[in-house]
Amino acid sequence: MLRVVLLLLTGTLAAGSAQPGSKNTTKPNILFIVADDLGWNDVGWHNPDVKTPVLDQLAQEGVILDQSYVNYVCTPSRTAFMTGYFPYHVGTQHLVIFPWQASAVPSNFTFLPEKLKGLGYATHMVGKWHLGMCNWKYTPTYRGFDSFYGYYNGAEDYYTHVVATGLDLRDDKEVVKTKNGQYGTYFFTDRVVDIVEKHPADTPLFLYLPFQNVHQPLQVPKRFEDIYATVQNENRRTLLGMVSAMDEAVGNVTMAMKNAGLWDNTLVIFTTDNGGWIAASGNNFPLRGGKTTLWEGGTRGVAFAHGKMLQKTGYTNNEMIHAVDWFPTILAAAGGTADAGIDGVSQLDTIMTGKPSPRTEFVYNIDDEFPTKQGAIRVGDYKLIEGYAGKPDGWIRPDNLTDTKADSGDPFIGTWLFNLKDDPTEHHNLADTMPDKLKEMQAKLAEYRKSLVPAINPPPDPKSNPQDWGGAWSPGWC
């Protein structure tokens, strides 16, 4: 017992002896769950009207991460998760990768599962990719995953699995044409359970589960909508049903891991990829803004860690964590180390024992591409936004950005300085009243900007047309 405690205190979790009830004799299993567009106020531990009993229990038994930051939209956050670099250092800082773009995270970046394979892990992915697919070398099984079951692009119909006239569903490299009419969350969960049941006991498991829920289109089986029968707004009722469907799926995964004897030695990391999209009925109250914006509602994400190896549990941790940190944190849990020079820092001691975060600042985003020319950083308690902060409803409308007022009357292009400790909902712009602090923060942002990599943002490529690839979005055209 003393040996286990010492290993926990020193952060060398992966070298520890077996946890009780676990088949794994060395390294922890790692379950990395990413919800899509899950709002701050769309989980039960923030809002009791949302029915997420499984996630609530995991969060409350583990450690709720109350200052865990992500990027403002999908591709940038997933870049951070998989590489440990801020997207503006990769070229994926501008919006998202669209199906018709010859765009991807460049192949010179080593992905997290590649590192974990080198540490002896089996690596499996089920769900949404959204990191590029125009060439096979950019797809999951070429970037470290032993298996992939899911879709390449950012969204699709939950029942037809079609986006922009093309089918987007793969089992490893093969197009799946047999799931039309079946709800994606159901059969994705079935695949995860199958992976868990077949997993060899002597091999540590890394399972990356980026859910489709709750990204639009808003679709869910009626039994989940019925949980919220008193919610009058139809879109909001559907979205809440999608949250509960995801909660049930997580419950089925955790039960499978328990039945397989893997659970007691499993570290769970749960995070959203960005805030809820207000235009699609996401709710980030009391935070300002949502998905596509640099306001806290778009970038401060719901997150928790869970596992019997955590030494301090049952509390809310307010230490600063950023999406880039999960890469080195997971590697540290697995007994490895990240390469020098990445942007992420290991937060293993922070989530294991509650020690102060090694992070004191981060970059929300830096982008020089219209219409989202922007730069934003946090240093200590202070936050600076310059340029495009984001319209409160989350819509990006290039045709009306000449108007400096959003529909609600809020400005969305300008300069803002906030003290987030005193003003977490960003109501008091200090740019005019604290000129010295403003200059200090602007100098810091200018220094970060020096390392900006130009955004990878090519025009639509007609060679991507799924009708030329058997009706499915397919690699091979770039």
Side-chain angles (χ1 to χ4, degrees):
M1 182 61 184
L2 178 60
R3 172 175 165 77
V4 174
V5 171
L6 288 172
L7 289 165
L8 289 171
L9 288 171
T10 58
T12 53
L13 169 65
S17 57
Q19 300 293 313
S22 171
K23 288 182 178 180
N24 198 324
T25 59
T26 53
K27 302 173 185 289
N29 306 303
I30 298 166
L31 175 60
F32 188 17
I33 304 173
V34 176
D36 201 340
D37 294 359
L38 185 62
W40 186 263
N41 203 39
D42 291 338
V43 292
W45 65 91
H46 287 161
N47 180 356
D49 292 334
V50 181
K51 308 306 178 186
T52 51
V54 174
L55 292 172
D56 290 357
Q57 182 175 350
L58 292 173
Q60 290 159 5
E61 288 178 352
V63 51
I64 295 170
L65 305 172
D66 216 41
Q67 294 281 331
S68 180
Y69 283 84
V70 286
N71 292 92
Y72 71 123
V73 283
C74 312
T75 296
S77 282
R78 292 157 203 273
T79 297
F81 297 148
M82 289 293 109
T83 70
Y85 283 91
F86 290 124
Y88 85 98
H89 282 154
V90 178
T92 56
Q93 68 269 31
H94 182 68
L95 301 176
V96 300
I97 295 174
F98 293 100
W100 45 82
Q101 285 186 303
S103 176
V105 175
S107 54
N108 59 299
F109 287 92
T110 301
F111 274 28
L112 176 60
E114 296 178 81
K115 289 288 216 179
L116 290 170
K117 282 183 70 66
L119 296 170
Y121 274 75
T123 58
H124 299 280
M125 175 183 169
V126 178
K128 169 176 167 175
W129 181 236
H130 211 190
L131 291 172
M133 46 69 68
C134 64
N135 187 299
W136 284 112
K137 68 181 180 180
Y138 299 133
T139 60
T141 55
Y142 288 78
R143 305 212 75 159
F145 285 103
D146 293 328
S147 74
F148 167 65
Y149 190 62
Y151 57 105
Y152 290 141
N153 290 298
E156 63 181 12
D157 189 283
Y158 283 74
Y159 290 97
T160 66
H161 320 296
V162 169
V163 59
T165 75
L167 178 64
D168 189 7
L169 188 60
R170 297 270 169 167
D171 189 347
D172 291 335
K173 295 175 65 175
E174 298 301 315
V175 178
V176 177
K177 299 180 179 180
T178 58
K179 298 297 185 181
N180 186 28
Q182 298 182 43
Y183 192 62
T185 307
Y186 286 166
F187 60 76
F188 287 147
T189 305
D190 289 343
R191 173 55 62 92
V192 176
V193 171
D194 185 63
I195 290 169
V196 168
E197 290 177 345
K198 294 177 179 177
H199 181 70
D202 59 351
T203 303
L205 171 65
F206 174 63
L207 186 54
Y208 177 45
L209 181 50
F211 274 98
Q212 184 173 4
N213 302 53
V214 294
H215 198 294
Q216 53 79 31
L218 299 180
Q219 296 173 310
V220 76
K222 185 176 182 298
R223 68 183 180 91
F224 293 106
E225 273 197 63
D226 289 346
I227 297 172
Y228 303 95
T230 61
V231 175
Q232 296 301 306
N233 182 281
E234 181 180 356
N235 285 344
R236 179 66 179 164
R237 186 168 64 248
T238 302
L239 180 131
L240 290 174
M242 294 165 75
V243 175
S244 291
M246 177 176 63
D247 185 78
E248 180 184 272
V250 173
N252 289 336
V253 171
T254 59
M255 183 60 67
M257 297 190 81
K258 291 174 183 176
N259 291 340
L262 300 176
W263 182 248
D264 286 354
N265 192 36
T266 294
L267 174 64
V268 181
I269 294 168
F270 177 93
T271 179
T272 186
D273 64 339
N274 46 249
W277 195 21
I278 296 172
S281 295
N283 190 318
N284 304 298
F285 179 84
L287 303 178
R288 181 179 184 179
K291 177 183 178 178
T292 80
T293 81
L294 296 180
W295 309 117
E296 294 293 280
T299 56
R300 184 176 166 191
V302 290
F304 65 79
H306 178 281
K308 292 192 175 182
M309 66 285 294
L310 300 182
Q311 185 176 353
K312 184 179 180 181
T313 58
Y315 77 108
T316 297
N317 184 299
N318 289 297
E319 296 296 315
M320 185 189 294
I321 298 174
H322 189 272
V324 295
D325 298 337
W326 291 125
F327 182 101
T329 301
I330 289 172
L331 281 183
T337 54
D339 296 338
I342 69 166
D343 294 316
V345 294
S346 174
Q347 300 280 359
L348 188 60
D349 286 342
T350 302
I351 64 173
M352 293 283 288
T353 67
K355 288 184 178 180
S357 170
R359 177 171 296 286
T360 58
E361 58 188 72
F362 64 82
V363 176
Y364 287 88
N365 199 35
I366 300 175
D367 185 5
D368 283 346
E369 291 281 324
F370 181 82
T372 55
K373 291 185 177 183
Q374 59 190 198
I377 58 173
R378 179 170 174 181
V379 181
D381 294 331
Y382 286 90
K383 175 179 181 177
L384 171 68
I385 306 176
E386 288 196 319
Y388 181 83
K391 300 191 74 172
D393 62 5
W395 283 108
I396 296 176
R397 303 185 182 97
D399 59 324
N400 71 0
L401 288 184
T402 53
D403 179 8
T404 60
K405 298 288 182 180
D407 296 341
S408 67
D410 289 339
F412 60 92
I413 299 175
T415 298
W416 293 266
L417 178 68
F418 299 107
N419 182 326
L420 293 177
K421 182 178 181 181
D422 297 337
D423 181 26
T425 58
E426 300 172 295
H427 280 89
H428 305 291
N429 186 0
L430 305 174
D432 291 335
T433 58
M434 297 186 68
D436 291 342
K437 175 58 74 171
L438 177 63
K439 289 179 181 178
E440 175 189 325
M441 294 287 285
Q442 288 174 324
K444 174 73 77 170
L445 176 57
E447 191 63 29
Y448 274 119
R449 190 179 286 276
K450 291 177 181 178
S451 59
L452 171 69
V453 172
I456 304 167
N457 185 35
D461 190 329
K463 295 193 297 294
S464 67
N465 189 340
Q467 305 315 312
D468 296 332
W469 298 90
W473 291 103
S474 299
W477 47 273
C478 77

